[in-house]
Amino acid sequence: PASDLEIPQLTSVITEQDLLRRAARTTPEALQESVGILVQETNLGGGSPFLRGQTGNRVLVLVDGIRLNNSTFRFGPNQYLNTVDPFTIDRVEIVRGPASVLHGSDALGGVIHVITKRRLDYASPFDADIRSTARLGSAAQEKTLRADTSANYEQFGMVAGMTFRDFADLRSGAERQDHTGYDELAGDVRLQYRIDDDHRIAFAFQRVDQDRVPRTGAFENGDEFFFDPQRRTLYALEHELEDLPWGFGTLRTTLSFQDQLEVRRRLEAAEMRTRREEDRVETIGFTSDIDHVPMQGLLLTAGVEVYHDDVSSERVDRATDTLVESEERGAFPDGTEYDTLGAYLESRIDIAELLAPVAIDVPLQLLLGGRYSRSGVE
């Protein structure tokens, strides 16, 4: 892989060793020590990264190349990155600054690409590694249990794990910060089949359930606000083919289905009512990209991505004195469908390699590219 100095963008990589050293409680917290990233964490179950002063739907988050962002992402800070289990991460690749050619306009501030663990060792006909982790934290009385395994049989590989987490309210000395703790249960499975050294297919499943996640700043004057539950489920089928003929490099194709559910429960004491809002986004995605080196010093990257969102949204208000319920319009039009299509071509020109015949060493690269994007709402 190229070093940061060889890439004409400001990038950084958080490795699995970095994650272990930082002992981050959540995935957003794992980013806090990285240069150029600010993480706003106004509640224990959240954490919104800022890149180049942008956050929310202006910073693109990818999980194994699949968009975590969807059509309902808020403009300002949000808590969705915390639905990625930090124990599943192999590394995090970060691009600071616009990356709109490859990823679209929601990469205005940058890109955070989370790459999860996978089986790489096929040297033995059969091998299995089992690991368990337990962690206790005093500030939030954290209780975390993680069990995972990585195994292979011949050309078949598997990585799987389960995480249980319980956080009580934060404490500072003898003082307790009410309405901060929550529970989390997560599981993941990745099944791989290596056809040969250059040809692989895989199926991946991820799920994270979080219950009674408080929005800390919304508890005052008797009011309450919980994300209960907050859930993300992902299914993905991946195909990867390397070292293609005629100068083509790696072809990657992914078909995915992602289900993101957010239920907001509020108690509005002054209005004497409770409110339950439920937003659910089911996303079907298809991505494919390929590299091509037509001549020395020139790298072409081309790809296409298609996403379809089905949005359901509802709201129910209930009077606390009469217990009368009323159905209201949700945060989004119920039954909305949102489609996006993107196709791109980027060329990376290495000036030093192009001028190699005249023995001029110029540490300079030139990026040229274009993207076609189309979106529609029904």
Side-chain angles (χ1 to χ4, degrees), residues 118-124 127 129 150-152 154 156-157 194:
R118 54 208 63 207
R119 182 71 181 183
L120 300 176
D121 184 6
Y122 290 85
S124 301
D127 186 41
D129 303 310
S150 175
N152 79 282
E154 300 292 348
F156 291 92
R194 191 179 68 161

Side-chain angles (χ1 to χ4, degrees), residues 25-26 41 43-47 79 82 180 182 210 213-214 216 230:
R25 183 181 58 83
T26 65
E41 193 175 7
N43 62 309
L44 195 69
Q79 75 284 1
N82 194 38
T180 51
Y182 68 97
Q210 298 171 339
V213 182
T216 307
Q230 181 169 274

